[in-house]
Amino acid sequence: MIVDSIRRLGFKAEDIKLIINGHAHSDHAGAFAYMKKLTGAQLAVMQPDVQAIEDGGKDDFFYGWDWKVMGFPPAKVDRILRDGDTVKLGDVVLTAYNTPGHTKGSTTWVTTLTDGGKAYTVVFPDGVGFNPGYNLASKPSYVGIGDDYRRSLARLELLKPDIWAGHHTEYFDLAGKSERAKTEGVKAWVDPEGYRRFIAGKRRAFEDEVDKELGAPTGMAK
């Protein structure tokens, strides 16, 4: 499906030179082995997620026990990223920030795009959602998970993008913005307030989950 979509856009999947992603879960990394074999592209991954990518998810702190269901074909990582590293291809430069929580190597990407002589800061946030069964405070799923979420939320709150996207299209209304872009152009994608609301919602969900785990009423001010 990914390859067919690339071809419908008028490109050759075989021309892909570099693969990056947000985190090492099967719905985000499950096609890496196939895509690397097809394209010969280099795979760049944040260091704490490298082992999970290379063993197909067995190293995941939560899903590793259920590997036969949640696992994926392992893929060799060609470049290990650290917080703040940049990835470049042609004129495109992206900065990778480790925003752990969802996985230990969750990665938020920041770049700059230019349209009509105007520069736009673009952010692809990741790492601050939690799946059913995660324990953030009581019997934490991994040591320090709560602190990781708090640090990642604080970092994402400091970012002030003009345009933002996400690793699930419903997060940022891809369908709606794509339709408006037919007449509005790049203006349809400019949505700093939508980003603020998205991160604020993740903050509320995190704090409510912590309150629930600790037996406190949800929605309390901290």
Side-chain angles (χ1 to χ4, degrees), residues 81-153:
L81 301 173
R82 268 77 180 183
D83 184 54
D85 280 354
T86 57
V87 170
K88 302 178 182 180
L89 186 64
D91 295 332
V92 178
V93 180
L94 299 103
T95 302
Y97 294 107
N98 190 192
T99 46
H102 194 68
T103 69
K104 295 180 181 180
S106 291
T107 307
T108 290
W109 293 93
V110 180
T111 190
T112 300
L113 297 179
T114 302
D115 183 85
K118 180 176 174 55
Y120 298 89
T121 298
V122 183
V123 171
F124 299 83
D126 196 67
V128 291
F130 52 89
N131 287 350
Y134 278 30
N135 289 325
L136 310 180
S138 176
K139 299 180 180 179
S141 293
Y142 68 81
V143 175
I145 187 172
D147 290 337
D148 277 352
Y149 270 98
R150 290 186 178 91
R151 281 191 292 266
S152 295
L153 282 161

Side-chain angles (χ1 to χ4, degrees), residues 14-29:
E14 293 79 4
D15 289 341
I16 293 172
K17 299 293 188 293
L18 181 65
I19 300 172
I20 60 174
N21 86 325
H23 59 268
H25 281 164
S26 57
D27 53 334
H28 302 274

